[in-house]
Amino acid sequence: EPEVTQTPSHQVTQMGQEVILRCVPISNHLYFYWYRQILGQKVEFLVSFYNNEISEKSEIFDDQFSVERPDGSNFTLKIRSTKLEDSAMYFCASSGLAGGVGEQYFGPGTRLTVT
Amino acid sequence: GESVGLHLPTLSVQEGDNSIINCAYSNSASDYFIWYKQESGKGPQFIIDIRSNMDKRQGQRVTVLLNKTVKHLSLQIAATQPGDSAVYFCAENGGDSWGKLQFGAGTQVVVTP
C-alpha cells in the first residue's frame, strides 16, 4: 500500500538554525500539506500546496517558513531561523483528488526539537 | 515555562464492546469530515470520511454519523479490539476547497481486556 514517508524521524537543532524537513508524498497525489502538532495538543494546519505553489497557509506559516517541491517526488518544509516554540511533530500529508477535498494521508512525522 | 497540553477526554471500553466517540464541530460551512486515529508516536491514520450530503456512512467495523442540525459527528466502532486503543480526532474542512483540515481536540480510547 502506498504511503507518505518523512525524513528524518527526529531532528535536533539549535535556536536560530535552519532546518529542512523532507517528505515523499504518495506518487499520484496532487495536493500536499504540512501540519504540526505541539506535544499534547491538537494537529494544526500550516500550508497546502498545489501546482507548484502555495494554495493556502495559516497564520503560523510566517516568513520563517517556506515549502518547495524541488523535483517530482520530494516536498520540503524549511524553517529559516528556528525558535524554541517551533519544537513539535511536523506531519506531511498528501491527497489526490481534484479540488483538494479528499482523503489526506499522513506521514509518520518528524519530531523537531529546538534547543 | 511549563507547557500545558490538552486534557483529552478518555473513553474506556471493554474488548468486544462497541465504542462511540463524539465530536462537536464548529464551522457550519464545513462540508467534509474525516475521522483519524493516531497511535502514540505515529501520524494520523485515515479511518473514514463523510460529506455533508450524507448522514451516515459505514466502513469495516466503523460507522460515521453526521447531524448537521446540531453540528455533531460521531464514530462508532463495533467489537472494539485492543488495537483500537489510540487517540481519535475528527477533522472538518471548514468549507475550504484546498483541503485545509481543522482538527478537534481528540478522544483517548483505552480498550481493556
Side-chain angles (χ1 to χ4, degrees), chain A residues 74-95:
Chain A
N74 291 284
F75 179 51
T76 62
L77 174 70
K78 182 193 290 185
I79 309 175
R80 271 181 262 283
S81 178
T82 49
K83 303 186 285 287
L84 294 176
E85 54 265 36
D86 293 328
S87 295
M89 281 291 285
Y90 287 81
F91 294 107
C92 173
S94 69
S95 69

Side-chain angles (χ1 to χ4, degrees), chain A residues 22-40:
Chain A
R22 292 183 164 81
C23 169
V24 178
I26 294 173
S27 62
N28 61 347
H29 281 182
L30 303 173
Y31 296 83
F32 314 110
Y33 313 87
W34 283 100
Y35 291 81
R36 78 171 187 191
Q37 185 178 31
I38 294 171
L39 184 64

